[in-house]
Amino acid sequence: MDHLTSLRDAEPTPFWLDDPDRPQATSALTGGTTCDLLVVGGGYTGLWTALVAKERDPSLDVVLIEADEAGGAASGRNGGFCESSLTHGLDNGLSRWPDEIGVLERLGRENLQAIEDAVERHAIDCAWERTGSIVVATEPYQVEGLRHEAEAAARHGGKPVLLDTDAVRAEIDSPTFLGGLWNKDDVAMVNPARLAWGLKRACLSLGVRVFEYTPALSLDERGAVMTTRTPYGRITARRVALATNAYPSLLRRHRPYTVPVYDYALMTEPLSERQLASVGWRGRQGFADSANQFHYVRLSADNRILWGGYDAVYHYRGRVRAEHDQRHATFATLARHFFKTFPQLAGLRFTHAWGGAIDTSTRFCVFFDTSHHGKVAYAAGYTGLGVGATRFGAEVMLDLLAGERTERTALDLVRRKPLPFPPEPVRSIGIGLTKWSLARADLDEGRRNLWLRSLDRFGLGFDS
């Protein structure tokens, strides 16, 4: 029961948001206003959209509204893996867009570099570390899978480093690790909340008008413009970018394409020099294991270990509620898995335990569309890989709103939407069966049963 003792003093709040440097919220909108571009949502998608719009055209009048505080939802709660992949990994991209995967991989790498450039240009203090990440094998059958993954990555411009048992344990020492695949170039570690706050500050410095605690209550077309009602005011805009992600969209037709899935994480107290030496980890890479129910793990700037993932929890009818942010059974499971992976850290305590909703689509990555005669655009469905891909999503939305045909908007990934999730109760039954099947596959050397093979055949899935 030592793993339960480790949770005794864990604060029920996201570690990244529990920061004395958290910026003060801006005032809510009161009264009416007009603008060229209204951005609805103050997470990464919305912040990048507002920032890139002003960098493209400084004369543009941009308003951003957020129902809570900027970065307060998924953008401030995630693990801080900023990846180049726009397709939730190469395998998913190859299975869905084999003819354009080369372009998608290149655009993803260019996008990651653009994020790094923006962090430097706007002096965003977000503990950016271009460490790469390691996918680790913890079961013998997974080792061969890493070899195939390395070969595919090398064919498409990646520079993967395949690690045997000794090599992976020389990087990060766990008795459960049997091999690894180190992607050195295409992943950065970041403090996610500080990235969001830095983007907000950059937006303000360029003249974006940001109104927090200002939810959008309606979206209506009025001739050549769109109007959005808020609790204390109204906004008239020439163009609107919707960036609400896991929260119910203002467009009803958009809602069946995503479901909110709850993901959970723990953060330890800072490791002592002796404890850190027992693990090694001199390269400070993030890592994830190869199972369907996977963990994602990384070091913070002050040498804490973030340990998240495994459970992906969907609530009936897709309800997003604050009480879902805490799930004690999941925290206990995560703590047990942590000490199995790092037995040398017995006695370490967790200081924070939290969860949050992820916008999941059936194809595991972002999709796009427009409405109201091209005056409204939206991007959603990042499925847990939005730290990096949201900037690309912002670029696509701005291209779509400008009516421009670009290399981005010509992509099949952009032009076609995923299959929607079915209505309830079929949705909950299907998600439950999928989760059960994925857990069974993890216990059966990765073998996918008839249900999972059928989903693969129709391009459907469920993930976090």
Side-chain angles (χ1 to χ4, degrees):
M1 302 294 283
D2 286 345
H3 69 283
L4 298 180
T5 302
S6 70
L7 294 164
R8 184 171 56 195
D9 299 317
E11 294 285 340
T13 188
F15 169 77
W16 310 113
L17 298 175
D18 187 17
D19 188 330
D21 293 328
R22 184 172 182 163
Q24 184 175 357
T26 59
S27 299
L29 173 70
T30 56
T33 192
T34 62
C35 61
D36 297 313
L37 173 66
L38 169 64
V39 180
V40 180
Y44 291 140
T45 302
L47 292 165
W48 280 119
T49 302
L51 181 63
V52 173
K54 288 296 284 186
E55 289 181 330
R56 288 186 179 188
D57 182 359
S59 69
L60 205 66
D61 183 15
V62 180
V63 168
L64 182 150
I65 60 174
E66 162 58 38
D68 190 73
E69 293 185 26
S75 297
R77 296 166 183 254
N78 64 81
F81 286 68
C82 188
E83 304 195 19
S84 67
S85 178
L86 305 175
T87 61
H88 208 275
L90 179 59
D91 284 350
N92 190 52
L94 277 170
S95 69
R96 298 177 187 279
W97 303 283
D99 295 337
E100 60 186 33
I101 192 64
V103 176
L104 289 166
E105 289 289 290
R106 173 177 56 79
L107 289 174
R109 293 184 180 111
E110 291 173 357
N111 180 67
L112 180 62
Q113 186 59 50
I115 295 172
E116 184 169 305
D117 293 344
V119 166
E120 182 177 350
R121 183 168 63 252
H122 295 289
I124 298 175
D125 177 17
C126 61
W128 180 270
E129 296 180 279
R130 195 78 172 260
T131 60
S133 67
I134 301 175
V135 179
V136 299
T138 56
E139 297 289 342
Y141 76 90
Q142 296 169 356
V143 175
E144 185 64 21
L146 294 184
R147 187 172 294 108
H148 290 311
E149 190 175 335
E151 292 170 355
R155 287 196 302 270
H156 293 89
K159 300 176 182 178
V161 178
L162 200 59
L163 306 171
D164 63 17
T165 302
D166 291 339
V168 72
R169 291 189 62 174
E171 295 296 332
I172 307 169
D173 192 11
S174 168
T176 67
F177 293 176
L178 305 179
L181 182 63
W182 186 1
N183 178 349
K184 288 190 173 185
D185 299 321
D186 295 342
V187 184
M189 297 294 109
V190 66
N191 179 315
R194 284 181 172 248
L195 175 60
W197 298 335
L199 291 174
K200 172 187 166 182
R201 179 174 54 80
C203 285
L204 291 168
S205 72
L206 294 183
V208 176
R209 291 184 284 152
V210 177
F211 298 98
E212 291 169 288
Y213 294 106
T214 302
L217 304 179
S218 64
L219 181 65
D220 299 294
E221 190 173 19
R222 295 285 185 266
V225 298
M226 301 297 301
T227 63
T228 298
R229 184 169 52 87
T230 70
Y232 306 131
R234 184 180 297 272
I235 305 165
T236 302
R238 291 176 51 243
R239 297 289 184 268
V240 178
L242 296 180
T244 52
N245 295 313
Y247 292 87
S249 175
L250 290 170
L251 301 177
R252 286 192 174 274
R253 75 181 200 191
H254 175 190
R255 295 179 186 177
Y257 291 95
T258 63
V259 295
V261 175
Y262 275 79
D263 180 56
Y264 296 91
L266 303 173
M267 185 67 96
T268 72
E269 61 190 337
L271 273 64
S272 67
E273 289 186 13
R274 179 188 59 79
Q275 288 171 323
L276 187 58
S278 74
V279 182
W281 222 337
R282 289 177 294 276
R284 300 184 57 80
Q285 312 94 327
F287 77 83
D289 58 58
S290 303
N292 292 307
Q293 293 181 291
F294 65 94
H295 305 85
Y296 55 87
V297 192
R298 51 80 55 96
L299 287 171
S300 67
D302 60 347
N303 292 330
R304 301 167 183 262
I305 298 177
L306 181 142
W307 181 266
Y310 191 74
D311 277 345
V313 180
Y314 171 75
H315 295 278
Y316 188 72
R317 295 191 182 280
R319 297 183 177 95
V320 180
R321 294 179 176 173
E323 56 263 35
H324 297 330
D325 294 348
Q326 292 290 304
R327 195 167 191 267
H328 296 100
T330 294
F331 297 145
T333 298
L334 285 172
R336 177 167 51 84
H337 292 173
F338 177 90
F339 291 109
K340 179 181 178 182
T341 302
F342 294 126
Q344 66 270 47
L345 298 179
L348 197 67
R349 298 295 182 93
F350 295 103
T351 61
H352 295 76
W354 72 95
I358 292 171
D359 58 324
T360 295
S361 69
T362 58
R363 72 183 193 190
F364 306 146
C365 66
V366 63
F367 63 90
F368 305 89
D369 204 357
T370 60
S371 69
H372 297 84
H373 306 96
K375 291 190 285 292
V376 177
Y378 62 79
Y382 293 94
T383 317
L385 227 69
V387 180
T390 45
R391 188 192 174 281
F392 174 81
E395 294 261 28
V396 171
M397 281 201 292
L398 292 171
D399 290 350
L400 292 172
L401 289 172
E404 297 177 353
R405 183 173 175 84
T406 66
E407 184 179 37
R408 289 180 290 264
T409 61
L411 290 167
D412 206 39
L413 175 143
V414 172
R415 292 186 299 108
R416 298 181 186 275
K417 295 200 295 295
L419 291 171
F421 287 94
E424 296 288 12
V426 176
R427 177 183 299 180
S428 288
I429 294 169
I431 289 174
L433 180 56
T434 303
K435 288 179 60 179
W436 178 84
S437 298
L438 290 170
R440 292 272 300 184
D442 283 339
L443 297 173
D444 191 25
E445 297 189 342
R447 296 183 184 91
R448 298 173 75 80
N449 63 15
L450 179 61
W451 175 255
L452 293 178
R453 294 197 303 273
S454 299
L455 293 181
D456 294 341
R457 187 171 154 196
F458 290 103
L460 291 164
F462 172 79
D463 203 352
S464 69

